[in-house]
Amino acid sequence: MTGFYSEHSKVWLSVDCIIFGFDESQLKVLIGRRQMDPGRGEWSLYGGFVRSDESVDDAAHRVLFELTGMRTLYMRQVGAFGSVDRDPGERVVSVAYYVFINVADYDDRLRKEYALEWVNLSDMPRLYSDHNQMVQEALKKMRLKMTTEPVAFRLLPPLFTLTQLQKLYEAVKGEELDKRNFRKRVKEMEFIEKTELIDKTGSKRGASLYRFNKRLYDEGKHFKL
């Protein structure tokens, strides 16, 4: 250590991860009971402190890999949260990130190992410190991103029905969408391809399955949904 800045007070730096999932027509967030003081036992997001040898982004990637076992997640920064009294233990500034996970792809053994629960966004309990605010800020950014980029498909299985896609957008937006108009917009997008496969889990007649064609999208197809 050089001794520079010794006249200044120290501030701890952490990351917190808002992990969104979609299942059974519900937008969900992965939370757990806090395993340390202060706030032991309170519902909380999952996070960790930034190490001296890693960037803030690297710390978030490390925490997410520990939690999910996945390395290629869609991760975006929400912002920094630094109210003086946000943590009763020490002066802590946290940088929040949000990610998308297909619930079906998440290893349930890891969820149980870390004692985490998927909670419906509409049933979110009171979380530790300012974590509820983090979730709300992440949701705002997520809503905006989903109208201009095809990030929603990261929350769906590779093959999905138009009903699943519409329910996802309704869950994120928090409002019902007109079925006819929604499907009209979807069918105008060449990179959302209809397959010959049928999903018969919901009815005998079944529903056509669709898939997102990333190659067509990368070729410059316009997205606005």
Side-chain angles (χ1 to χ4, degrees):
M1 302 296 290
T2 64
F4 293 126
Y5 317 126
S6 59
E7 72 274 20
H8 298 288
S9 59
K10 293 184 178 179
V11 176
W12 296 90
L13 182 62
S14 69
V15 294
D16 283 294
C17 300
I18 302 107
I19 301 177
F20 288 113
F22 181 72
D23 187 38
E24 297 179 355
S25 304
Q26 295 287 336
L27 185 65
K28 300 175 182 287
V29 180
L30 197 62
I31 61 175
R33 295 287 186 179
R34 190 168 165 86
Q35 302 296 312
M36 61 186 293
D37 293 320
R40 185 183 298 271
E42 294 183 30
W43 287 110
S44 173
L45 298 172
Y46 193 86
F49 286 99
V50 179
R51 296 171 180 170
S52 60
D53 62 346
E54 62 185 359
S55 69
V56 180
D57 284 356
D58 288 342
H61 281 296
R62 170 178 55 80
V63 167
L64 286 167
F65 179 71
E66 291 173 357
L67 186 62
T68 68
M70 303 177 187
R71 292 193 183 277
T72 58
L73 296 173
Y74 178 90
M75 182 182 82
R76 290 295 184 272
Q77 190 179 115
V78 178
F81 294 78
S83 297
V84 174
D85 59 350
R86 65 173 301 273
D87 192 306
E90 294 285 353
R91 179 75 170 94
V92 181
V93 174
S94 182
V95 180
Y97 293 80
Y98 74 89
V99 299
F100 297 146
I101 287 182
N102 184 343
V103 174
D105 292 340
Y106 181 46
D107 190 339
D108 206 49
R109 291 175 299 176
L110 283 173
R111 183 188 64 79
K112 293 177 180 178
E113 178 183 340
Y114 286 95
L116 300 172
E117 297 290 340
W118 285 110
V119 177
N120 292 342
L121 188 65
S122 57
D123 300 325
M124 183 70 63
R126 178 72 178 90
L127 303 179
Y128 175 74
S129 185
D130 50 8
H131 289 188
N132 287 88
Q133 182 185 352
M134 292 180 179
V135 173
Q136 291 304 312
E137 291 298 319
L139 184 60
K140 290 178 184 177
K141 291 183 180 293
M142 179 183 178
R143 285 171 174 165
L144 180 61
K145 186 69 69 174
M146 283 180 58
T147 62
T148 58
E149 296 181 24
V151 296
F153 301 103
R154 296 175 180 271
L155 289 162
L156 293 170
L159 295 174
F160 53 86
T161 66
L162 293 186
T163 297
Q164 285 177 303
L165 183 60
Q166 180 172 339
K167 287 184 178 297
L168 170 57
Y169 272 85
E170 288 177 337
V172 173
K173 289 176 176 290
E175 61 183 22
E176 290 187 11
L177 302 175
D178 182 79
K179 180 177 178 180
R180 180 178 298 178
N181 289 336
F182 182 83
R183 296 195 173 201
K184 179 181 178 181
R185 292 200 300 272
V186 169
K187 291 178 179 180
E188 290 173 350
M189 300 177 186
E190 296 180 16
F191 47 83
I192 301 179
E193 297 180 328
K194 183 178 180 180
T195 72
E196 296 180 354
L197 302 174
I198 301 295
D199 175 23
K200 294 188 177 182
T201 57
S203 65
K204 292 183 178 180
R205 181 181 179 184
S208 296
L209 287 166
Y210 289 73
R211 64 186 169 206
F212 170 66
N213 188 318
K214 187 176 184 302
R215 179 184 59 80
L216 286 179
Y217 176 76
D218 290 341
E219 289 177 357
K221 301 298 183 182
H222 180 64
F223 184 92
K224 185 174 179 60
L225 189 56

